Amino acid sequence: MKNRRLFSFLVSLVVIAAFLAACTPAAPATEEPTAEPTAERKVATFIWTQEYDTLNPLYTNMWFVTVLYPIYTCQAWWFDDQNNPVPYLVTEIPSKDNGGISEDGRIITLKLRDDIQWSDATPITSADFKFTYDMVMADGNAVSSRAPFDLTESLETPDERTVVVTFTEPFAPWLARLFAGQSGAALLPAHILQPVFDENGTIDTAEWNKAPTVGCGPFVFQEWESGSFARFVVNENYWGPRPKIDELFFRFVPDDASQVAALKAGDGDVGTFFAMSDMPELEAAGVVIMKSLSGYNEGWYINQHPEKGNPALQDVRVRQALAYGFNRQKLVDDLLLGRAAVPATDWDNTSWEDPSIEPYTYDPEKAKALLEEAGWVDSNGDGVREKDGVDLVLKYGTTNREVRQDTQAVAQQELAEVGIKLELLSFDSDIFFASYAEDGPSANFSLDIIEYSDSPDAPDPNSVVWRCAEIPSDENPAGVNPTGFCDEEFEALWAKQETQVDVAERQQTFHQITKMIFEKAFWIGLWQDPDYFGFSSRIINVKMSGATPFFNVVEWDIAQ
Amino acid sequence: MEETVPPSSSPIASLLPDELEAPPLSLGQLTWRRFRRHKMAIFGVVTLVFMVFYAFGGMLFFSEADANHTETGARLQPPSAEHPFGTDTIGRDILARTIYGGQISIMIGLTAMLVELFIGVSIGSLAGFFGGKVDSFLMRFTEAVLVIPQIFLLLVMAKYFAQSIPNIEMLGRTFSGSVVVIIFVIGITTWPYLARIVRSSFLSMKENDFVLAARATGASTRDIILRHILPNSIAPIIVAGTLSVAAAITLEAYISFLGMGVRPPTATWGNMLEGAYNYIDTAWWLWFFPGMLIALIVLAINFIGDGLRDALDPHSRAV
Amino acid sequence: MTRYIIRRLLQAIPLLFIISLIIFIMMQNMGDPVATMGGRRVTRSEDRIRLTRQLGLDKPVIVQYLYWLVGNDWAKTDMDGDGVAETPGKRKGVLRGDFGLSLVNRKPVTQVIGERLPNTLLLMLVAEAIIISVALLVGIYSALHQYTALDNVITTSTFIFYSMPVFFFALLAMYIFAVNFKAWGLPYLPTVGMFEPEAGKSASQVAWHMILPVATLSFGFIAGYSRYIRSTMLEAMGQDYIRTAKAKGLPRPQIVYIHALKNAALPIVTLIALDLPFLLGGAIVTERIFGWPGMGRLFLDHVDRSDTPVVMGILMMIAVAVIIFQIIADVLYAWLDPRIHYK
């Protein structure tokens, strides 16, 4: 009797489980494999290792979303494979000659095309630009960044086709950020989101953020199943040339290993952010690896804070010894399979870098000589140099990525040979990059060498991490300057370049900046870190841009 | 004269009083006898001894410099004569790393067990002995820790304490401070199980006569707990303690696999598995050897624990 | 009995408060959610300051906990950064059912969890069903055929499986059934996700994709339970009443399944209920390895981004579920075993 109850309990469990498995879970009806043969419908499958957090361009910093801007959103201009601007929503790139930029460089005028419209056939007008601007600046919206609008005085719309942006100071990096680039704003549909904002006082929670069914790009969003996949289909009302591919399908996988497996097997057409060591396998399977020069470089930022930094690193010779004593070329050849070069500064391969700079070579003898000259001698034979009784021990920290931890171990070994002892520390990236207020190791000057990958505001060379005002301290807990270095002359150069709208003048200033960074070894480059995309041989006509990688997505096609 | 010389004729007469009974065996001897009969437990002991010898004795053959020596040109090489277990992503010899990693893993297991033992026995004994409000309060606290699944608690705590301890220099070697963090985190998430066992043991023991007698002779509470009750409830504590070493080693492996364990370059069997997952088909030797070693030592300890449980208390059906 | 249940429920309430407070405090030191906001570069300082204010992270920990618990629509927040709080908040707090918005994507926490919960439940229920049925079969068989060769094989392998870490088993399984099967041209098992997107979310797809994750989740439990059932069955079969039943000439299946099993399996019922937390824990590793879009992965992703509201939501939900299951286990045990009586 009791046993029957127990038995029936167990049986019912099994039956329920089987029933659940047999019935489709409550999700919407399945996407049936289409009746049309696949030859008719061209689908490109992307394998993404990180899932979107949101699809609203104002709220996300995730690279896996921002590279998609050319697919489902629109900006004023894209950047082509030479990183030159290509007009998109505007008729021409503003310049002094065509009156787009005022004499003093503060006022930028955008002239919009006549034929642009949203995917629901509503025309795109300057009102949408104004709305986007208002949304960025609205107090109720927790947008990820207000740049560059927090440097503007106003944004006016004298008529439906004209947008006038007035900056308080001439702002040289406007080309890379004003309604353009991965860190710039993309357009929001005013006719959809204005009512939401009016009702809630914020668009933080708008439906559109996770389902942007009204868009202005060549493809429009169709669905996003959390944790599994997302789908974009051709925008039937697209104002530009119709894309040749019918559908872009994004599959979310847990990690690199599954991504590489999918690409090799042909289950996916596009992949990105894989390790360099995976590339030979991918190429052997016929995947074409394309490089997007996004301006990222991995390097060591040397802590030179006058009070909190290690006094040993105040001496330029010690810093240079670090560069001479570590064979970075070999590291790149072995760990990265020779696919990257050792950068001299963050502005390598651009016209902003002083052409006379060559990366420090591997010269352990020179490193030892420099250290001896600086007074660091190994008098007690323990393999570590000391001076005035203090050992030369440097704390070297980075995040948990495998290639970084491998680099740490190799660096420790090589620098031990010239008498420098490295203490290795690694952190979870949210902890590592936490602000000074949260005692983040990259901000509280507890580390002597900080390794990570950063870029200037590509394609613009501007960078805020070298500014005196960005040094984190009790008064300024949100600062982002990891070296703690502040010097009048250096700061003056940075302040100057930010206002120099004339390119030639700006280049000169940057030559001086890069020379100083290099010669004084404020930053030691490890490897160039461009973005790599893997394309299966099915996808043709792809061109890669550094700033906006998928800029020519309308031209992509699938070879039959 | 009371010479104990047995006359050879009658069998009953040969049973002299002194030899009617065999001398009583102590608990330890009794346990050992019963343990001996457990074949799997003996196998466990042999394996464990072998592994301890591998990890600590291996120091004689490989120096720590060997374990940390990077050789980027020789990366990811399959097992060969020169590198019996192959090399990892920066050319370090995996055999040497499993030796030094084993030391840390075993040490983490033992120390975490001690932390767990200390907290669990203290709380369990106090709760069981005093009963009433003390028991109620302590048990609510125990339940609070138990209600959150262990892995979740481990992850949250590991991240919380992640950067609190700097690198440690001991015996001429450098250990990442995260070793201490992991020991601490494992210890404070696993004590509830032990506390419950100790508590139920104390609850049943405290009504016994010998406790009454001790109280009557004026023994202090501390004495009663430590010298009278605890030694009698030692059996389940020993078993639980043994098994918790295995659990601690497994937990360390889990957290490392999820990326929040001991930080490199300090090696443990767990964190050698951390990155190896990406190389599942290209470099199987990266995950196979540390994984096998973990499985083996956990298996050995489980066998021993099972044997101990049968030996110490054949009637117990502890879950 | 009802009084007992009510008493347990009431006792659970302060428990939940304590847990939530402890975890909330721990979450504060776990990294800065606005450090990179999921991006590749550090957030600009002006944006950092603004976001910290807008997301309510600049308040002291206790105040943040209070807002989480009872909402902030009775307090004013400073929306425009001028230092003066003028706008009333919008959150109702957990006690009124509002778990807040995720710091990562500003979606309501209940929605974020709700999207993934069914997937994990599916995995767990199927795994539990398989665990119970297989463990019973193996345990009973092993007990009835004690000391035969097969029994020894079973005993040894249960020990081995019981000792193996979950992810090692998963890696081995993947290596054999996915990688190598494919290399040998056999039909191979998929290792990622819940279904092939081109084929859609059909029952057969989900079932096929569930094989490896469910196997990974269950093998350890099957090993443990079958050993337990074996030993309790052996003990039960040695009891006097079984001897009586045999003497009375009852057919063997009746003896085994009705008399012995009934007594041997009682504790299993409560064990199953108490195993919920372990299953959920195992789900984390399993879901991560196989890319199963469930709550375990959600937890890992959001802990990584230091997303307090979602992490708190998940943990509180689990805590409530565990407490309820503990009560169910105790009640079930009392209901099935008339010897047990709660006051």
Side-chain angles (χ1 to χ4, degrees):
Chain A
M1 176 212 35
K2 281 285 172 58
N3 146 75
R4 234 182 277 147
R5 272 196 222 173
L6 175 59
F7 188 63
S8 51
F9 172 69
L10 292 171
V11 167
S12 46
L13 263 183
V14 177
V15 167
I16 290 174
F19 188 63
L20 273 177
C23 265
T24 318
T30 77
E31 270 302 308
E32 288 103 22
T34 56
E36 312 138 32
T38 37
E40 288 237 8
R41 191 175 172 77
K42 299 188 193 166
V43 180
T45 307
F46 291 65
I47 310 282
W48 253 204
T49 50
Q50 286 183 36
E51 185 182 0
Y52 319 137
D53 46 5
T54 173
L55 283 173
N56 184 329
L58 298 192
Y59 285 90
T60 180
N61 262 357
M62 272 185 91
W63 185 67
F64 286 86
V65 181
T66 57
V67 294
L68 303 182
Y69 285 172
I71 292 179
Y72 73 103
T73 70
C74 45
Q75 292 184 305
W77 48 84
W78 303 125
F79 292 90
D80 67 9
D81 46 346
Q82 309 297 325
N83 273 348
N84 294 325
V86 171
Y88 190 58
L89 289 179
V90 295
T91 50
E92 52 184 2
I93 306 288
S95 69
K96 280 218 166 120
D97 298 328
N98 62 23
I101 308 183
S102 67
E103 268 311 304
D104 60 359
R106 288 174 48 222
I107 307 182
I108 316 255
T109 310
L110 306 175
K111 293 216 180 307
L112 308 179
R113 293 170 62 130
D114 287 327
D115 53 353
I116 47 184
Q117 61 179 11
W118 295 96
S119 60
D120 60 357
T122 318
I124 300 178
T125 66
S126 58
D128 292 307
F129 280 78
K130 177 109 177 75
F131 178 70
T132 309
Y133 175 80
D134 286 339
M135 288 299 99
V136 169
M137 300 302 286
D139 290 322
N141 292 335
V143 295
S144 58
S145 176
R146 281 189 176 162
F149 298 126
D150 51 1
L151 297 171
T152 59
E153 248 174 36
S154 68
L155 185 147
E156 324 251 303
T157 52
D159 62 59
E160 285 204 334
R161 298 277 150 235
T162 317
V163 179
V164 179
V165 183
T166 311
F167 286 91
T168 41
E169 299 272 333
F171 185 62
W174 63 270
L175 188 65
R177 302 204 74 162
L178 187 63
F179 291 108
Q182 289 189 49
S183 32
L187 224 54
L188 297 182
H191 60 291
I192 305 276
L193 288 174
Q194 181 79 60
V196 176
F197 184 72
D198 290 335
E199 188 186 326
N200 298 329
T202 176
I203 54 170
D204 282 2
T205 50
E207 265 303 300
W208 191 88
N209 294 354
K210 46 184 179 15
T213 42
V214 173
C216 51
F219 293 86
V220 78
F221 169 87
Q222 193 183 66
E223 71 176 304
W224 173 15
E225 169 115 5
S226 171
S228 298
F229 70 88
R231 195 198 305 270
F232 295 85
V233 295
V234 166
N235 177 358
E236 298 297 341
N237 289 325
Y238 184 53
W239 50 271
R242 188 196 158 84
K244 304 203 177 79
I245 299 188
D246 298 305
E247 179 183 310
L248 301 178
F249 187 83
F250 288 82
R251 211 175 155 181
F252 305 123
V253 298
D255 48 43
D256 266 356
S258 12
Q259 185 194 189
V260 170
L263 288 173
K264 274 173 27 181
D267 291 334
D269 298 310
V270 186
T272 182
F273 219 59
F274 29 73
M276 303 237 196
S277 46
D278 293 327
M279 289 193 211
E281 277 174 64
L282 287 172
E283 284 179 333
V287 173
V288 176
I289 313 266
M290 302 196 70
K291 197 151 83 163
S292 158
L293 288 166
S294 50
Y296 278 87
N297 292 295
E298 177 102 3
W300 287 354
Y301 289 83
I302 313 284
N303 177 358
Q304 298 157 68
H305 196 277
E307 286 113 45
K308 302 187 193 169
N310 188 329
L313 292 172
Q314 297 288 333
D315 187 333
V316 62
R317 290 168 295 196
V318 176
R319 302 194 297 264
Q320 285 179 339
L322 286 173
Y324 283 116
F326 182 22
N327 191 348
R328 293 160 288 148
Q329 187 60 53
K330 180 164 194 294
L331 182 82
V332 161
D333 287 337
D334 289 334
L335 282 191
L336 303 180
L337 306 174
R339 285 178 181 262
V342 179
T345 70
D346 244 341
W347 294 268
D348 266 21
N349 296 325
T350 65
S351 55
W352 307 103
E353 182 179 75
D354 185 316
S356 67
I357 298 178
E358 290 283 339
Y360 290 102
T361 54
Y362 177 54
D363 194 340
E365 295 310 315
K366 185 144 186 212
K368 290 183 193 166
L370 282 168
L371 288 168
E372 303 265 330
E373 197 188 306
W376 293 90
V377 190
D378 183 14
S379 36
N380 59 4
D382 65 351
V384 179
R385 295 175 184 268
E386 58 283 330
K387 177 173 163 183
D388 301 331
V390 178
D391 275 345
L392 188 49
V393 177
L394 301 174
K395 293 212 182 80
Y396 168 16
T398 183
T399 70
N400 289 345
R401 274 174 58 191
E402 189 187 337
V403 66
R404 287 183 176 154
Q405 292 182 331
D406 289 347
T407 307
Q408 279 190 314
V410 177
Q412 186 184 46
Q413 189 173 295
E414 291 198 0
L415 286 173
E417 284 163 26
V418 300
I420 302 179
K421 182 163 165 186
L422 288 184
E423 207 180 286
L424 306 182
L425 296 145
S426 60
F427 307 86
D428 209 54
S429 71
D430 255 356
I431 294 180
F432 187 66
F433 291 119
S435 65
Y436 178 86
E438 309 248 346
D439 232 9
S442 62
N444 65 1
F445 301 108
S446 58
L447 296 171
D448 299 314
I449 301 177
I450 303 164
E451 176 187 335
Y452 62 97
S453 174
D454 201 359
S455 85
D457 288 343
D460 193 272
N462 191 24
S463 173
V464 296
V465 304
W466 295 101
R467 312 297 297 267
C468 287
E470 288 290 343
I471 296 182
S473 63
D474 289 330
E475 298 79 37
N476 179 19
V480 297
N481 181 335
T483 58
F485 178 73
C486 185
D487 164 277
E488 259 184 58
E489 187 197 332
F490 195 51
E491 171 71 18
L493 288 173
W494 279 102
K496 192 158 109 176
Q497 65 79 27
E498 209 176 13
T499 61
Q500 287 176 316
V501 187
D502 178 282
V503 175
E505 286 175 7
R506 204 166 175 220
Q507 270 180 1
Q508 284 308 311
T509 319
F510 257 101
H511 286 186
Q512 292 179 292
I513 290 178
T514 50
K515 208 157 148 77
M516 198 163 162
I517 294 181
F518 178 74
E519 284 176 359
K520 303 244 172 103
F522 295 154
W523 182 87
I524 299 179
L526 292 177
W527 61 79
Q528 290 170 345
D529 199 15
D531 300 320
Y532 288 101
F533 290 88
F535 285 89
S536 81
S537 39
R538 280 178 65 209
I539 313 271
I540 55 178
N541 293 345
V542 179
K543 290 200 217 147
M544 270 291 117
S545 155
T548 49
F550 294 159
F551 77 102
N552 79 334
V553 68
V554 289
E555 292 166 22
W556 297 4
D557 202 352
I558 299 203
Q560 293 300 338
Chain B
M1 252 206 350
E2 324 283 336
E3 283 297 326
T4 54
V5 174
S8 46
S9 44
S10 131
I12 297 213
S14 70
L15 286 175
L16 287 176
D18 296 8
E19 289 180 5
L20 271 170
E21 295 172 10
L25 296 169
S26 72
L27 178 64
Q29 288 171 309
L30 204 55
T31 311
W32 173 241
R33 274 205 179 175
R34 288 206 283 253
F35 188 82
R36 239 177 19 196
R37 282 189 278 153
H38 219 271
K39 280 202 271 321
M40 292 203 294
I42 298 294
F43 170 74
V45 172
V46 168
T47 312
L48 186 63
V49 167
F50 169 70
M51 299 199 77
V52 170
F53 180 69
Y54 172 81
F56 291 91
M59 275 204 293
L60 302 170
F61 300 98
F62 292 91
S63 71
E64 196 185 12
D66 287 333
N68 286 340
H69 177 78
T70 66
E71 174 76 60
T72 48
R75 62 192 298 267
L76 286 182
Q77 292 191 335
S80 61
E82 191 191 333
H83 295 286
F85 283 2
T87 61
D88 70 358
T89 50
I90 36 178
R92 294 182 286 209
D93 181 38
I94 293 189
L95 177 61
R97 274 180 87 70
T98 52
I99 289 176
Y100 283 89
Q103 293 175 8
I104 309 277
S105 288
I106 294 178
M107 193 190 75
I108 290 180
L110 283 173
T111 327
M113 183 264 286
L114 287 174
V115 172
E116 179 191 342
L117 221 56
F118 180 71
I119 305 179
V121 169
S122 315
I123 294 193
S125 54
L126 288 174
F129 185 75
F130 288 112
K133 283 214 164 49
V134 173
D135 176 29
S136 210
F137 171 69
L138 284 175
M139 276 304 108
R140 290 291 86 74
F141 178 54
T142 311
E143 267 181 44
V145 178
L146 265 182
V147 154
I148 315 279
Q150 207 171 28
I151 288 254
F152 290 92
L153 202 56
L154 271 172
L155 281 176
V156 170
M157 300 206 83
K159 214 172 172 203
Y160 180 74
F161 291 111
Q163 44 164 152
S164 31
I165 304 189
N167 289 349
I168 307 169
E169 302 255 348
M170 203 169 73
L171 304 172
R173 290 162 57 176
T174 318
F175 302 101
S176 163
S178 49
V179 171
V180 176
V181 169
I182 294 295
I183 291 177
F184 181 62
V185 166
I186 294 180
I188 60 180
T189 48
T190 49
W191 63 262
Y193 304 101
L194 192 61
R196 287 230 294 225
I197 296 177
V198 172
R199 169 182 177 265
S200 55
S201 178
F202 265 64
L203 274 179
S204 53
M205 288 252 173
K206 78 175 171 183
E207 309 301 338
N208 275 345
D209 284 343
F210 67 89
V211 174
L212 217 54
R215 261 200 254 248
T217 57
S220 72
T221 311
R222 194 173 68 104
D223 262 356
I224 299 180
I225 293 182
L226 288 177
R227 293 201 318 164
H228 291 106
I229 305 188
L230 204 51
N232 281 297
S233 18
I234 204 84
I237 295 180
I238 291 184
V239 174
T242 311
L243 292 174
S244 71
V245 177
I249 296 182
T250 310
L251 280 173
E252 187 263 319
Y254 269 96
I255 322 186
S256 297
F257 180 75
L258 292 172
M260 304 204 198
V262 175
R263 298 271 109 249
T266 307
T268 70
W269 286 339
N271 76 5
M272 287 172 76
L273 286 167
E274 185 180 342
Y277 173 64
N278 280 333
Y279 297 91
I280 181 180
D281 51 347
T282 45
W284 59 270
W285 55 93
L286 282 181
W287 56 268
F288 183 72
F289 293 109
M292 271 307 298
L293 287 167
I294 294 179
L296 262 182
I297 200 173
V298 169
L299 186 65
I301 298 180
N302 278 336
F303 278 157
I304 295 177
D306 211 49
L308 275 176
R309 176 188 295 145
D310 279 348
L312 282 170
D313 187 2
H315 300 299
S316 75
R317 280 276 163 255
V319 176
Chain C
M1 183 56 78
T2 334
R3 276 210 338 221
Y4 174 74
I5 299 180
I6 293 182
R7 196 157 51 93
R8 286 287 296 269
L9 283 172
L10 286 177
Q11 277 176 343
I13 295 181
L15 195 63
L16 286 172
F17 271 110
I18 300 176
I19 296 175
S20 65
L21 188 58
I22 295 178
I23 299 182
F24 196 89
I25 293 180
M26 286 204 301
M27 288 292 309
Q28 299 316 307
N29 206 26
M30 278 185 33
D32 190 357
V34 301
T36 57
M37 295 293 277
R40 292 163 69 184
R41 305 182 58 198
V42 177
T43 319
R44 283 179 359 152
S45 42
E46 300 94 336
D47 292 319
R48 244 188 176 148
I49 298 174
R50 174 183 53 85
L51 279 169
T52 311
R53 191 190 72 240
Q54 281 178 320
L55 297 175
L57 300 172
D58 54 344
K59 300 261 186 308
V61 175
I62 288 297
V63 176
Q64 285 187 49
Y65 178 71
L66 197 63
Y67 285 171
W68 179 80
L69 202 56
V70 294
N72 63 0
D73 53 358
W74 46 271
K76 292 200 197 287
T77 56
D78 175 18
M79 283 313 250
D80 50 14
D82 57 4
V84 173
E86 73 296 309
T87 333
K90 291 210 205 74
R91 294 165 53 180
K92 296 222 193 81
V94 168
L95 292 181
R96 284 183 276 171
D98 173 15
F99 276 82
L101 300 173
S102 160
L103 292 179
V104 166
N105 54 22
R106 318 295 288 146
K107 285 202 277 201
V109 170
T110 35
Q111 192 180 46
V112 170
I113 298 181
E115 280 171 355
R116 302 288 193 94
L117 185 58
N119 301 336
T120 300
L121 280 182
L122 180 64
L123 206 58
M124 277 172 40
L125 283 176
V126 173
E128 192 65 54
I130 293 194
I131 290 173
I132 298 174
S133 23
V134 175
L136 275 177
L137 283 172
V138 171
I140 295 177
Y141 181 85
S142 206
L144 293 179
H145 297 90
Q146 200 185 15
Y147 298 134
T148 57
L150 192 54
D151 174 43
N152 283 334
V153 166
I154 290 180
T155 309
T156 323
S157 35
T158 48
F159 256 111
I160 295 180
F161 282 138
Y162 184 68
S163 315
M164 218 189 272
V166 164
F167 53 87
F168 190 60
F169 180 88
L171 284 174
L172 272 181
M174 269 174 79
Y175 191 58
I176 298 176
F177 293 104
V179 174
N180 278 350
F181 265 34
K182 194 165 175 189
W184 300 331
L186 297 168
Y188 59 96
L189 289 172
T191 54
V192 174
M194 207 163 134
F195 54 91
E196 296 300 320
E198 301 83 41
K201 202 173 181 179
S202 66
S204 58
Q205 273 289 313
V206 175
W208 188 234
H209 280 255
M210 232 183 350
I211 295 181
L212 278 179
V214 166
T216 307
L217 209 46
S218 11
F219 81 97
F221 288 99
I222 292 180
Y225 284 160
S226 58
R227 275 178 55 224
Y228 187 73
I229 291 184
R230 177 178 182 275
S231 65
T232 52
M233 271 297 281
L234 280 175
E235 191 184 348
M237 295 288 283
Q239 297 286 345
D240 287 341
Y241 60 87
I242 295 292
R243 253 194 281 152
T244 313
K246 281 192 201 168
K248 275 176 23 181
L250 288 175
R252 192 161 160 80
Q254 204 175 8
I255 299 180
V256 171
Y257 293 110
I258 295 183
H259 293 288
L261 181 58
K262 180 175 79 172
N263 288 291
L266 270 183
I268 278 282
V269 170
T270 54
L271 270 184
I272 291 170
L274 294 172
D275 258 342
L276 176 70
F278 292 105
L279 263 184
L280 277 173
I284 284 195
V285 177
T286 310
E287 284 181 13
R288 183 191 167 316
I289 296 180
F290 293 107
W292 189 265
M295 250 176 44
R297 259 194 88 195
L298 189 71
F299 183 78
L300 279 178
D301 291 341
H302 284 257
V303 162
D304 246 352
R305 297 268 304 251
S306 305
D307 187 356
T308 307
V310 171
V311 172
M312 290 294 293
I314 295 180
L315 287 177
M316 293 318 293
M317 201 187 70
I318 292 177
V320 168
V322 169
I323 291 180
I324 291 184
F325 266 79
Q326 273 180 353
I327 299 180
I328 291 183
D330 285 341
V331 168
L332 210 54
Y333 201 77
W335 179 61
L336 288 174
D337 186 350
R339 293 172 293 177
I340 298 191
H341 212 67
Y342 292 120
K343 290 193 291 282

